[in-house]
DNA sequence: CTGAAAGCGCTTACAG
DNA sequence: CTGAAAGCGCTTACAG
């Protein structure tokens, strides 16, 4: 029995059937050069017929090659500790898979500095990298980078936001459209008929394909689909410092009677800070992310709702997906949208990323 | 360099230093019999000195032994599909670790039938089991079982609820006290001063150490700590069928002016069904778990809040903890309390276990 | 383009 | 109580 079983599987059996050596089978399996097309075809046919699954224990034992994954995400900044959470998830997954010979190389960049992003990309030595986990903060630049990865056949996974039309292994992050849509749903409960609503995009990078705009679109479409007639204003603020943001907000609020403000990212704390200063807390304020700044304003009642989308889990699952693919040749779902958690001052103490 | 490195590690090096064979080192590592105390001590000292970490690839390649985990949880019943979620998480983790030679054996029991629980326990062949994941639904019986596991040195992990004072490897589930506490916090917002509140425990098993009582305690303590003067009634219903539950509820509601009802488990749908039938929707109703029955009543407005505690994740993480310990000798946190998610009709469509 | 042999770091019989 | 040898299923050099 067991002798029979063992004959029916493994490189040895493939070699026996193909009448070649195990070395040659190995060459075919790993797509190495130096095998005649004829032998290659034969071996591949047998591999298929046997539904051969390599023994990953034997493989990693024999090949002392280390698998290296590059991680390209924003650094924690003074303005926000948002990226602490994905990094934590990445480190958690990294610790879990380190016994299998996987090493991480981290490339952290300033989310407000496109050049820093490009510099980090340039500093990655792709020769030694079997996979990349990245947050494509700068869309055009990230798109160029992943094109390079594709030609080199290096798999990559997006977290936090994705770039549509690219061939990533998978994506772990919000369904941007839906989070905007849900925000609108929440705000609907809190404004009266006809009251004005303000959408605020705060980012140095706002262009046609930016992901904030996909949230905005979801938000607007909720009102359209539900035939709600509240006027929707919007303002794009292209600097993130408090002075600039507060001035911009002040201006709009002077000119309009705004009942609710929807900030499309974690910068909501900057707006909250301004509103708190004016002492006017009559407006509803909704934004994103469980950062420590936002949390303080949420607890103080200056922010009404925070929408969170499992930043830790994005990092954890993103890296695991890369591992499953590279080491076990397993592919999961391509798009993995995180749940949309609604955090209020009531449940915030119990929230876990 | 590399020759030097390889000399400094592994069984081979330990054997060399101890002046014994690799076989003997192996015997010591696995605590097998047939080694003199002197040799044992010497080898152990060297293992410690070298901080020896076995190569799990080589180990599983050489030892064709399969690792088996037993999973002992309730079956999905007609009354509730709650246990679908933990099972899903367990299967997910099972698929992830199956390449490492881990097999699961599932023992599902009827949550209303203590004998079924005992029968399943009896049918587990502990000789072939390296770890157990269990939900200790029947406390005394489960306690006896884990005592047996302890004498046999088989590690076990609790999910969903734990038994205090036992030496489980870890626990993944709610902080029962806190979920009761948070429920009280929510209800506080929804009742007026002095209005009566009803606590409902529905379970065939309600005794002094039952976990529903820990929720009740958290609930009561919130009111005490915050010096709220709402009268709190409570009723223990020891059968789970609709006819019996509805009659019990009817009786209390006839005698008391109840403004809010807190059901301490997923049976809240049974209460919702009754209230819906009476056509009286003036009372606030809070309960637990994202079952399909509860969800329907939540959407219809018959249940106001559901508290959920990541049932899928409990299963997933519980099994992974067992794996990490048995295969990698890694121990994590002992108590892993799940976040307390508040589900309303607004966000229920976006909830993920 | 291909094969034969050694080796990865363990465990498993078997022999004494 | 202990050791020498073979083997797990792959990959890696080396030789031709």
């Amino acid at each position: 029995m067991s002798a029979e079983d063992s004959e029916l599987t493994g490189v040895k059996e493939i070699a026996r059937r193909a009448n070649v050596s195990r070395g040659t089978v190995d060459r075919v399996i790993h797509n190495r050069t130096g095998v005649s097309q004829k032998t290659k075809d034969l071996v591949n046919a047998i591999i298929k017929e046997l539904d051969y699954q390599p023994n990953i224990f034997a493989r990693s034992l024999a090949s002392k090659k280390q698998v290296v994954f590059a991680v390209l995400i924003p650094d924690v900044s003074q303005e926000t500790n948002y990226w602490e959470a994905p990094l934590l998830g990445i480190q958690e997954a990294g610790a879990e898979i380190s016994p299998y010979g996987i090493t991480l190389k981290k490339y952290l960049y300033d989310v407000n500095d496109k050049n820093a992003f490009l510099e980090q990309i340039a500093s990655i030595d792709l020769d030694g990298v079997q996979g990349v986990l990245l947050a494509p903060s700068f869309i055009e630049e990230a798109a160029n980078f992943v094109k390079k990865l594709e030609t080199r056949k290096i798999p990559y996974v997006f977290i936090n936001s994705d770039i549509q039309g690219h061939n990533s292994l998978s994506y772990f992050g919000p369904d941007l459209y839906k989070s905007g849509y849900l925000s609108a749903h929440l705000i609907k409960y809190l404004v009266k008929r006809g009251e004005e609503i303000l959408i605020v995009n705060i980012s140095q990078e706002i262009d046609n394909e930016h992901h904030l705009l996909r949230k905005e679109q979801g938000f607007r479409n909720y009102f359209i689909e539900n035939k709600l007639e509240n006027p929707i204003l919007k303002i794009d603020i292209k600097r993130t410092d408090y002075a600039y943001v507060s001035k911009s907000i002040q201006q709009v609020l002077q000119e309009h009677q705004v009942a609710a403000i929807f900030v499309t990212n974690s910068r909501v704390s900057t707006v909250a800070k301004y509103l708190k200063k004016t002492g006017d807390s009559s407006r509803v304020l909704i934004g994103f992310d469980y950062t420590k700044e936002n949390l303080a304003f949420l607890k103080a009642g200056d922010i009404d709702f925070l929408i969170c989308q499992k930043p830790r889990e994005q990092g954890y699952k993103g890296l695991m997906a890369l591992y499953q693919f590279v080491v076990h040749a397993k592919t999961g779902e391509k798009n993995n949208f995180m749940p949309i958690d609604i955090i209020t001052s009531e449940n915030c103490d119990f929230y876990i990323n």
Side-chain angles (χ1 to χ4, degrees), chain A residues 130-267:
Chain A
Q130 278 75 15
V132 178
L133 181 72
L134 79 158
S137 307
F138 302 95
I139 294 173
E140 208 185 311
E141 292 70 17
N144 285 334
F145 177 53
V146 301
K147 255 181 244 158
K148 211 158 87 186
L149 294 177
E150 283 174 18
T151 61
R152 283 177 163 253
K153 298 197 175 161
I154 299 174
Y156 59 93
V157 168
F158 286 132
I159 60 169
N160 197 250
S161 65
D162 62 340
I163 310 182
Q164 291 172 323
H166 282 267
N167 213 1
S168 73
L169 178 61
S170 49
Y171 165 61
F172 292 84
D175 182 333
L176 296 163
Y177 180 89
K178 269 202 182 168
S179 27
Y181 195 89
L182 175 71
S183 308
H185 181 67
L186 280 173
I187 280 187
K188 184 200 77 174
Y189 284 98
L190 305 166
V191 297
K192 300 198 189 81
R193 203 179 147 157
E195 284 184 332
E196 285 189 76
I197 297 165
L198 173 64
I199 296 174
V200 182
N201 295 317
I202 307 176
S203 170
Q204 298 207 340
E205 293 284 318
I206 307 176
D207 54 35
N208 286 331
E209 36 177 7
H210 197 82
H211 58 260
L212 296 187
L213 300 185
R214 283 205 264 157
K215 289 188 193 169
E216 185 183 327
Q217 205 179 6
F219 191 92
R220 289 180 181 277
N221 279 3
Y222 180 85
F223 278 84
I224 293 171
E225 283 174 21
N226 291 277
K227 299 201 174 66
L228 302 169
E229 287 162 359
N230 304 271
I232 297 180
L233 306 166
K234 100 104 161 230
I235 171 171
D236 288 341
I237 303 180
K238 301 209 176 188
R239 274 173 52 188
T240 60
D241 56 287
Y242 175 70
Y244 190 85
V245 171
S246 57
K247 215 175 58 190
S248 309
I249 295 289
Q250 183 180 26
Q251 215 163 30
V252 192
L253 296 187
Q254 270 171 356
E255 293 165 14
H256 296 273
Q257 290 283 28
V258 170
I261 302 177
F262 172 53
V263 184
T264 53
N265 64 8
S266 65
R267 309 288 181 185

Side-chain angles (χ1 to χ4, degrees), chain A residues 30 32 59-67 100-102 130:
Chain A
H30 294 287
R32 292 197 197 94
R59 177 176 286 179
S60 3
L61 185 61
S63 104
K64 317 231 60 183
K65 222 184 273 165
Q66 281 275 319
V67 174
Y100 311 128
I102 280 87
Q130 278 75 15

